[in-house]
Amino acid sequence: MHIPAEPYLPDGQVHTILAGDGLRDYETALKMIGISIIYSEKAKAVAGALASHADLVAFPAGNGRFVLVPEQEALAKTLCKLGIHCSFGSALLNGYPQEAKYNAVKIGKTLICNPKTVDSSIFCLAKEEDCAIISCRQGYTKCSVCVVNDNALLTDDPGIANAVHPFFDVLLVQKGRVRLSGYPYGFIGGCCGLIAPDTLLFVGDYKQHEDAERIFSFLRNHGIYPESLSSGPLTDIGSFMPVIVK
């Protein structure tokens, strides 16, 4: 068992993930495939289903580090016991873009974010590591991005697709095909993630997405097999993040 070096790119079979309460309904199904869950606490300043989204309160920075919202002290203690270093950024405020400060995605030496909305602690960390910054207008960046491998992404945001296209192989899929309780729709990045180097797990049935065939072909071109955790529509649960891999 070890901590993966890359936030969303496990180098083995995932054993433990970090997620919000939205994944509790799927806990039994995850246990059946050998995955345990560490739950983030609800964001006090955020309303509705988004309050339980882990990608609004935790930013995995790689190499066993997380940047957390200050109120996530209990989560920090749990992660620290596993050998993960936790630091805290600034507090969230209700509403967009103030609730999206931690909703960025780091892939190797690249940070994809809206520089105007991302928390300064994350931006400074990326600058200190000499990361390339890919700027986009979408503050809900991680919600809108699924990391496929170190040079391929899925997104349902045209602006992000245009921004990353010179640097990543990107598949743009239709928005509005992912469920999010209390909202017209959710985002593709919030409903899926890698659980092994060659397996992308979807919360819900990816075959119900209108672009299912394109998604399947894109993933297979990159050596990735898509798997569905459950029947029913894809559901945005606020991302899940590998913490421990076998």
Side-chain angles (χ1 to χ4, degrees), residues 100-163:
K101 292 180 179 182
Y102 296 76
N103 205 249
V105 57
K106 186 170 179 282
I107 306 169
K109 299 284 283 185
T110 300
L111 178 70
I112 308 170
C113 68
N114 181 335
K116 295 181 179 179
T117 63
V118 71
D119 193 74
S120 60
S121 63
I122 294 171
F123 199 72
C124 290
L125 183 150
K127 285 293 188 180
E128 289 171 1
E129 296 184 5
D130 199 26
C131 290
I133 309 295
I134 298 180
S135 300
C136 58
R137 295 181 63 184
Q138 174 61 267
Y140 293 122
T141 310
K142 175 59 195 75
C143 293
S144 304
V145 171
C146 167
V147 181
V148 173
N149 58 32
D150 58 2
N151 60 18
L153 307 172
L154 290 174
T155 185
D156 49 15
D157 187 279
I160 291 178
N162 288 334

Side-chain angles (χ1 to χ4, degrees), residues 17 22 32-33 39 42 49 52 62 82 98 124 129 138 148 181 210 225 239 243:
I17 58 175
M32 290 179 66
I33 58 175
Y39 290 102
K42 286 187 177 181
S52 63
L82 297 174
Q98 295 89 347
C124 290
E129 296 184 5
Q138 174 61 267
V148 173
S181 178
E210 197 162 330
Y225 292 90
S239 305
V243 175

Side-chain angles (χ1 to χ4, degrees), residues 143-144 154-158 161 171-179 185-189 191 202 206 208-215 234:
C143 293
S144 304
L154 290 174
T155 185
D156 49 15
D157 187 279
L171 176 66
L172 176 63
V173 299
Q174 295 183 61
K175 187 174 288 186
R177 303 302 190 266
V178 179
R179 179 177 61 183
Y185 56 83
F187 299 92
I188 192 70
C191 75
F202 289 86
Y206 85 92
Q208 294 193 24
H209 195 287
E210 197 162 330
D211 288 323
E213 291 185 6
R214 295 176 62 231
I215 291 171
L234 294 174

Side-chain angles (χ1 to χ4, degrees), residues 23-41:
L23 208 55
R24 287 189 187 275
D25 291 342
Y26 305 90
E27 187 171 329
T28 299
L30 285 164
K31 284 182 178 179
M32 290 179 66
I33 58 175
I35 297 176
S36 300
I37 309 170
I38 296 171
Y39 290 102
S40 58
E41 301 169 77

